[in-house]
Amino acid sequence: MRIPDGVIDAAREHLASWLPWAGPAAALALATIVPLVLLPPILWPAARAARRAAGAPWQEQARRRWPLAVSTRLLAMVAAALLCFSAWEMGGPLAATGSRTTAGLGFLVALIASIAAIRLVTARLPGTPMAGPDWLRGHVALWCLMMGHVLIMAAMALVMPLHFGLGVALVLAGGALATTWWLRGGILVLPRLMGALRPADAKLAAQVERAAREQGVRGIMVFELRAPIANAFVVPAPRALVVTGALREVLDAPQLGAILAHEVAHLGESRRRIALFSSRVYAVLPLPLALPLGVQFGVWYSFYAFVPTLVLLMATRRLLRSFEEHADRHGARAQAGEGTYAHALEALHRANLLPAVIGDRRRPHPDLYDRMVAAGVQPQFERPLPPSKWMTRGTLSVGIALFGAAVIATTAGADFAARAAQAGAFDPTWALALGGGDPRVAGLLAEQFEAAGRHDAASDLGRYVAWASPDEPWAALSWACLDAPSEREVARLAAAIEGHLRRQSRQGCWQEAALAELWLLAGDYARASAARDRALALTDRADPDFAWMAAILGRLADGLGEPDRARELLATGLARRAAGAEADDPRLALELADLARRVGDADQAEALERVVEREGALQDRRGELERLRRELAGRR
């Protein structure tokens, strides 16, 4: 439920000036420290195995380095995603940057910290390029070219509404339009602005033109990318072919011509097949729906957002393999001499230290060894073993477990701070800052302000607690009774809480009863009666706590002009109190005494008030009884 800006600003005025910045600062500090601390030991076994292969043939080096390469890529994203969730929790309503912005910054900072930690681990491996401005520019440009649709998906997540409606549809439509623009040429904009992507020189353009003419493909734009890996790829919609400078360094002219023929073959596919190929980038667009699904229906429902993504990726997996096999045939057909294309593929794998055999048929590219054999060349090495899957799975499992534990510990730590503050063992101001504006702690501060005579501060924080606790309408009812806001403001709050409860599908008798009292205070008797009827329908009369519900429903009946029902509920409540274990509870006695006063039973009210006076001093520890007295007076 969205909290009005005026409510948040009014609450902040009474808090320390640093408090709105403490939560985001702590979240970003964790996003920086956790990857730097956890990733090096997690990756150490895989890095050690890679270092032990130094001096071995390149096939063995590539096989040993593959688990490390896969683990680093996946763990960087896992760390960023999990710490993004932690930042969301710490950047609550009172934070200066809000939950969404704090989560976005947390994701970015965690990703950068993860990359830095990975560089610390891999810097000592032989063949690792030196980091520098060109290295960074090339990697960022390559990431934009390959993963731009993921950036669009992340931007969608930052603005995705938390409840289904027109806003969700607009965000999805905007993401689809942005992805379409990215596919049709926007993919090239940022790398060109960075200076990492530039039009190819005449020599490279002539080679591409020759390969395109032989295959009958026209209108190809050719670019050269300054990146530290040897690769070439195509962007189908603008019909662009991108070649990295490193690829031109490791291949001679005939080998480069064969690789270019392979890439041109992709652009020569039918429009239908290219459209199916391009549709894969839209697969990530449903993922931001996890936010409204999780908020509105529950955390487990958020996993349904992954279903369309997985279906689309699996449906087009075989198509990708056929794309590559078709392009391989064109590359072998265009080679200047026998074996040229196969040796070009081998040189490319050697330069990037990619395994000759991976053993995963789900990958779009066949294994190098099989591609060389299919091209009519017997490799000069025996078929190597595939990389260790256990090393990859073990590293990923340990990494996910440790990062998950770190996030759980962070969330549990904020909850522990809130509980400690309620017990008087921790400063509530710090607990409020670290908990992202936890309404429990805010309510505690409101009580402290009230005790200190700062009634305006207590009122503003109480209003914040009422809006920040939509699952607990009793907090809103308590504030409305104690502070006596206008009927219009109470009606606005009650409508927001009712809408939240309906969207969450969280209907309970206690929540409906509190909502009915809110509508009664707002002067909307029709809605109050409807909420009361829902509370009655949901109430279990066999519940041991029915004496409490009878007192509340009786008060509602009296407010709605139903005195006979109110007397009936009073009698029921008294009987259940006498038969239960709460006969001496002063709070229940006070609730029933209030109802007895309302229906005109003065003798019963006085008897119950004597119980309150006798037991209240023994059981009341934090002024709860006096607060309840004032709240009941406000309801009258």
Side-chain angles (χ1 to χ4, degrees), residues 22 48 74-75 99 107 143 161 174 176 205 233 236 266 278 285 307 339 341 364 386 503 553 569 572 578:
R48 181 172 178 268
L74 293 178
L75 284 179
S99 296
F107 180 88
W143 215 86
F233 53 90
H266 288 316
S278 302
L285 296 187
V307 173
Y341 178 64
R503 288 190 297 266
L553 292 174
L569 286 166
T572 303

Side-chain angles (χ1 to χ4, degrees), residues 234-313:
V234 296
V235 185
R239 302 182 71 79
L241 193 156
V242 180
V243 179
T244 65
L247 182 67
R248 300 183 69 181
E249 293 175 3
V250 300
L251 300 182
D252 57 29
Q255 290 175 341
L256 181 59
I259 295 295
L260 293 177
H262 170 101
E263 299 301 331
V264 168
H266 288 316
L267 297 176
E269 295 277 3
S270 67
R271 289 187 178 183
R272 175 177 167 273
R273 284 170 62 86
I274 289 179
L276 287 172
F277 169 78
S278 302
S279 67
R280 287 176 62 87
V281 302
Y282 291 94
V284 299
L285 296 187
L287 294 182
L289 290 175
L291 287 173
L293 283 171
V295 170
Q296 191 162 336
F297 302 107
V299 175
W300 293 109
Y301 284 87
S302 61
F303 290 99
Y304 285 109
F306 292 83
V307 173
T309 300
L310 295 175
V311 168
L312 184 55
L313 292 179

Side-chain angles (χ1 to χ4, degrees), residues 539-557:
T539 298
D540 180 8
R541 291 180 177 268
D543 191 326
D545 292 331
F546 184 70
W548 288 89
M549 182 56 69
I552 295 166
L553 292 174
R555 187 167 60 243
L556 280 168

